[in-house]
Amino acid sequence: MTNDRFILITCQVGAERAVKDELAARWPEFRFAYSRPGFLTFKLPDAARLADDFDLGSVFARSYAFSLGKAKAGDSADLARQVIGLAGGRPFERLHVWPRDRMPPGEHGYQPGFTPESDQAEAAIRSHWPAGAAGPKKNPLARAGELVLDCVLVEPDEWWVGYHRARAWSSRRPGGMSRLELPDDAVSRAYLKMEESLRWSRLNVEAGQRAVEIGCAPGGSCQALLERGLLVTGIDPAAMHPAVLGHPNFVHLRKRGAEVRRRELRGTRWLMADMNVAPNYTLDTVEAIVTHRQMNVRGLLLTLKLLEWDLARHAPDYIERIRGWGFPLVRARQLQHNRQEICVAALRHRPKRKSGS
């Protein structure tokens, strides 16, 4: 257990209020302290004794850590030495360095992720680690249980430092992010969103299984599913990209989800939805399918659009509604490649853990 007094949180630019509202509901004793777009800190009560791998339980916090303070002013070498000083000789096994988001995803083509500056900062910290001292391993991908030193580039000359113990998928990766790259032949950026959602959710999708996506045009997410060997049915009244439409394992139902007959969906194992409508409309469409007596869908992967940020406060209601359909295992997260939306993964039963995952 730790009695450090502050935690730091990174999130999507625009989601700061959603994070504050979540913490006010779940952790009312936490006191908001400081923020920049995409970055917040909270003061913990004096009596707090939290495990270093505690679950914040936030949909909108992409990463969080106990704060050790900040490195301020100077060149990268000076900042790196300050980071190491704040680390205080703790036995860190991994080093996570990343920049806070600079703007909302999609604005002027911006996409959250690592930058040359964050890579250079990581290299500087590693190069100034004391000789003879056991430093963090070279690969930043942490294993569950490892102690991680965190460094967030809030400003070019202001690096905030913290630590956490790796636990879930997001806490094993710097800033809860991956270095996914869009393939040259990808139909759209929805490819990245589907790839990240599959990796985060760890749905046990396998080649030969049938997946259905509602709201699939022009086909980037279907493309990611097809590359994994799934048999994919895409539902959307809009046209699909020829590269997807011509795939032998793809079927296009050019209609709206509410217009699809149940016999066209028989054998569906996984149901995905990414519709540019309000969350309750998406949930109405999905509910009509998965609660039908002829359907036996095992898992869901849903993108719920927050057309207004006020809808963020209803995330717990959306989760409870999905549980009511017979999917007791439901998780939600605002992913790196999400925009003003959240990803919800749901399972009817807990899957067997893959070896080595």
Side-chain angles (χ1 to χ4, degrees), residues 67-294:
S67 177
L68 293 171
K70 62 181 175 181
K72 179 72 174 173
D75 59 19
S76 62
D78 293 329
L79 292 164
R81 283 189 284 265
Q82 291 179 58
V83 170
I84 294 168
L86 290 167
R90 292 175 176 83
F92 290 110
E93 297 162 279
R94 304 286 174 174
L95 172 63
H96 287 179
V97 182
W98 72 99
R100 71 173 172 94
D101 289 11
R102 296 295 168 182
M103 60 187 72
E107 186 172 307
H108 304 296
Y110 177 76
Q111 178 61 49
F114 305 98
T115 62
E117 291 75 18
S118 62
D119 291 340
Q120 291 162 11
E122 179 180 350
I125 295 169
R126 292 187 182 279
S127 67
H128 286 85
W129 206 268
K137 299 170 186 175
K138 185 175 182 180
N139 184 351
L141 180 62
R143 295 180 178 178
E146 290 185 323
L147 191 63
V148 180
L149 176 63
D150 296 295
C151 180
V152 187
L153 277 61
V154 175
E155 299 292 347
D157 62 347
E158 184 180 308
W159 301 358
W160 284 70
V161 184
Y163 71 92
H164 73 277
R165 194 170 296 279
R167 182 174 181 268
W169 184 94
S170 57
S171 67
R172 296 175 56 210
R173 292 158 172 79
M177 300 188 294
S178 297
R179 290 184 182 270
L180 288 171
E181 293 186 5
L182 190 69
D184 291 338
D185 63 347
V187 166
S188 69
R189 296 194 68 83
Y191 179 101
L192 288 176
K193 188 161 60 173
M194 178 58 73
E195 265 301 308
E196 185 185 8
S197 64
L198 288 170
R199 297 182 188 198
W200 160 71
S201 66
R202 300 179 68 185
L203 293 182
N204 194 26
V205 299
E206 297 179 355
Q209 295 176 338
R210 188 177 182 193
V212 170
E213 186 184 18
I214 306 171
C216 59
S221 51
C222 289
Q223 188 179 26
L225 295 169
L226 290 166
E227 287 185 0
R228 289 173 175 256
L230 279 84
L231 308 177
V232 181
T233 297
I235 301 172
D236 201 304
M240 299 295 293
H241 192 280
V244 175
L245 197 59
H247 196 286
N249 289 338
F250 180 75
V251 174
H252 184 202
L253 300 181
R254 196 163 185 176
K255 56 183 74 174
R256 301 184 185 279
E259 300 170 345
V260 178
R261 298 179 180 180
R262 297 299 169 265
R263 67 170 179 267
E264 296 177 289
L265 303 178
R266 288 175 186 167
T268 299
R269 176 66 63 90
W270 309 105
L271 180 63
M272 287 75 173
D274 189 355
M275 306 165 68
N276 194 28
V277 294
N280 278 326
Y281 185 93
T282 295
L283 296 175
D284 288 346
T285 301
V286 174
E287 180 177 12
I289 294 172
V290 300
T291 60
H292 193 278
R293 60 183 177 81
Q294 294 181 354

Side-chain angles (χ1 to χ4, degrees), residues 204 298 328-331 347-353:
N204 194 26
R298 178 179 178 183
L329 304 172
V330 186
R331 293 177 296 143
L347 277 172
R348 288 196 185 277
H349 306 287
R350 189 176 301 278
K352 294 183 179 178
R353 191 182 186 91

